[in-house]
Amino acid sequence: MHALSAIEEQYIRKDVPAFRAGDTVRVNVRIREGDKERIQAFEGVVLRRHAAGARSTFTVRKMSSGIGVERIFPLHSPMIESLEVVRHGRVRQARIYYLRDRFGKAARIKARRVN
Amino acid sequence: MQGILGRKIGMTAIFNEDGTQTPVTVISTAGNVVVDKRTEERNGYTALVLGFGDKRVKRVTKPELGFFAKQNLVEDRDGKQFVKRHLREFRVTPEQLDALDVGADVNASDVFFVGEKVDVVGTSKGRGFTGVMKRHNFRGTKASHGVHEYFRHGGSIGSNTSPARVFKNRGMPGQHGNKRVTVQNVRLAGFEEGGLVLIRGGVPGPNGGLVIIKKSVKRSI
């Protein structure tokens, strides 16, 4: 396993802020159109984090004109220009899939105090 | 050189420059050594014998030890003696035969280049004696409608009087896996320090299993 983690180490980004399920994040994604590159933000609630070394991912859900949209991002992908935590949320589960069945007032998440 | 021996370490993924991810199998090829030569005069063909992996001398038979002693290839490390565990022949041209001496190290990066298409040979994971559903992807039988004790069977294996025999290649239960398997034309995704080779995608066999990386037979580069 040692050799594997040495390879993954090269791809692991050190600039990832601490965040967890329930937090609201803004993911600035590099979008390539032809040879032009621009940044698009995807802001929403983190449903889950999947920890797997360099292959780690996280799922972000947002409501886009009334329709729930979920994107799974590779955490260490170079396609992510930057990642910011907009709001820390207090949830009891590590995977807050129950959010999918809720909308409006019911989908609110209490803020979490971070020191 | 046409190939090299290695040990499957496991799988992971790497990011490419354009941001895409490539799944890779990591194979350790450190310690490939030319153990013997097959020559035109002696053997009627030319090939290099590569040795790979360690084996404690005290576990080696005397004839085998004699061979390694003759080649001066008994390695002394940490007060223990080792010889090579796996030996495989690779056919080479007479010129290539002269280029390498017995005892020479063979590096994967000298044999292959990044992006090259290679074949990888391994021994698939053994599944033991399995039924027809797992082994040949048969559908089995209905779970209801009166089926009685016939859920995972293969059904009929042929007709009656004509042809009065079972055709060849009829799928039946039996040993599944633990068999030599080659994946052809897979891309070599890169090299890493310590003789590690990255192969795009999966490779047959368990982690820790012996694999042979060869130049692809069906080349189209």
Side-chain angles (χ1 to χ4, degrees):
Chain A
M1 284 318 278
H2 176 72
L4 281 189
S5 41
I7 291 172
E8 293 198 349
E9 185 67 37
Q10 310 165 19
Y11 296 98
I12 289 177
R13 289 173 64 154
K14 309 282 189 268
D15 60 342
V16 179
F19 68 100
R20 48 165 124 153
D23 292 352
T24 304
V25 294
R26 189 204 307 272
V27 189
N28 295 311
V29 197
R30 288 202 172 94
I31 309 259
R32 201 163 289 150
E33 288 160 332
D35 28 297
K36 262 193 291 184
E37 197 183 79
R38 62 186 184 83
I39 310 273
Q40 192 183 65
F42 190 90
E43 185 174 332
V45 180
V46 177
L47 285 197
R48 63 177 289 196
R49 285 190 63 165
H50 168 64
R55 310 188 322 284
S56 303
T57 61
F58 61 101
T59 305
V60 182
R61 176 182 174 86
K62 79 165 182 182
M63 297 302 284
S64 177
S65 38
I67 295 167
V69 178
E70 285 178 22
R71 270 189 84 170
I72 302 170
F73 295 100
L75 184 63
H76 300 288
S77 168
M79 292 310 276
I80 295 178
E81 197 265 331
S82 62
L83 172 69
E84 27 183 318
V85 181
V86 178
R87 183 172 178 272
H88 291 281
R90 197 189 82 88
V91 291
R92 294 182 174 204
Q93 270 75 34
R95 285 151 194 217
I96 50 170
Y97 297 141
Y98 65 82
L99 215 62
R100 289 171 177 163
D101 305 323
R102 300 186 180 185
F103 51 88
K105 261 189 181 182
R108 282 175 305 176
I109 293 175
K110 276 186 183 164
R112 171 164 59 96
R113 285 251 168 74
V114 186
N115 301 327
Chain B
M1 268 327 280
Q2 285 303 298
I4 199 164
L5 303 173
R7 183 173 303 285
K8 176 168 162 180
I9 303 289
M11 286 193 73
T12 180
I14 59 171
F15 286 104
N16 303 314
E17 274 161 28
D18 60 355
T20 56
Q21 231 175 344
T22 304
V24 292
T25 306
V26 182
I27 295 171
S28 167
T29 62
N32 270 277
V33 165
V34 177
V35 169
D36 204 359
K37 288 180 174 187
R38 303 278 182 256
T39 57
E40 197 67 56
E41 307 85 71
R42 274 185 65 151
N43 310 94
Y45 63 96
T46 50
L48 286 170
V49 184
L50 290 192
F52 174 76
D54 289 329
K55 185 149 81 168
R56 289 284 298 278
V57 156
K58 67 177 190 182
R59 302 209 166 275
V60 172
T61 61
K62 274 197 177 162
E64 208 179 340
L65 181 61
F67 165 74
F68 284 105
K70 191 180 84 184
Q71 308 290 48
N72 204 13
L73 280 172
V74 181
E75 198 184 342
D76 218 331
R77 193 178 342 127
D78 306 329
K80 291 166 189 162
Q81 281 98 45
F82 295 94
V83 296
K84 292 296 170 187
R85 178 178 290 270
H86 306 284
L87 305 182
R88 289 289 185 284
E89 280 184 23
F90 292 93
R91 295 293 286 265
V92 292
T93 61
E95 299 81 61
Q96 289 171 316
L97 190 72
D98 296 331
L100 287 168
D101 291 322
V102 170
D105 289 329
V106 180
N107 295 321
S109 48
D110 299 335
V111 181
F112 304 106
F113 57 88
V114 174
E116 185 171 6
K117 282 188 170 179
V118 294
D119 295 345
V120 183
V121 184
T123 305
S124 59
K125 285 182 184 172
R127 261 122 243 233
F129 193 104
T130 65
V132 102
M133 285 180 73
K134 194 182 186 73
R135 189 155 105 119
H136 298 296
N137 298 325
F138 281 17
R139 250 173 288 186
T141 321
K142 289 187 188 78
S144 67
H145 291 298
V147 174
H148 181 60
E149 294 186 351
Y150 204 75
F151 297 111
R152 298 182 62 88
H153 292 228
S156 166
I157 56 167
S159 327
N160 196 346
T161 329
S162 160
R165 64 190 178 89
V166 175
F167 288 123
K168 280 185 177 177
N169 302 326
R170 173 79 254 171
M172 289 197 195
Q175 166 69 32
H176 183 34
N178 190 22
K179 194 181 151 199
R180 180 187 164 105
V181 175
T182 308
V183 288
Q184 292 184 323
N185 277 339
V186 285
R187 279 229 185 267
L188 198 152
F191 298 107
E192 290 288 340
E193 249 168 67
L196 300 180
V197 176
L198 308 182
I199 302 283
R200 191 189 183 285
V203 154
N207 291 344
L210 178 76
V211 294
I212 308 170
I213 311 173
K214 299 197 288 192
K215 303 250 180 201
S216 61
V217 181
K218 297 172 179 171
R219 314 210 70 156
S220 62
I221 298 186

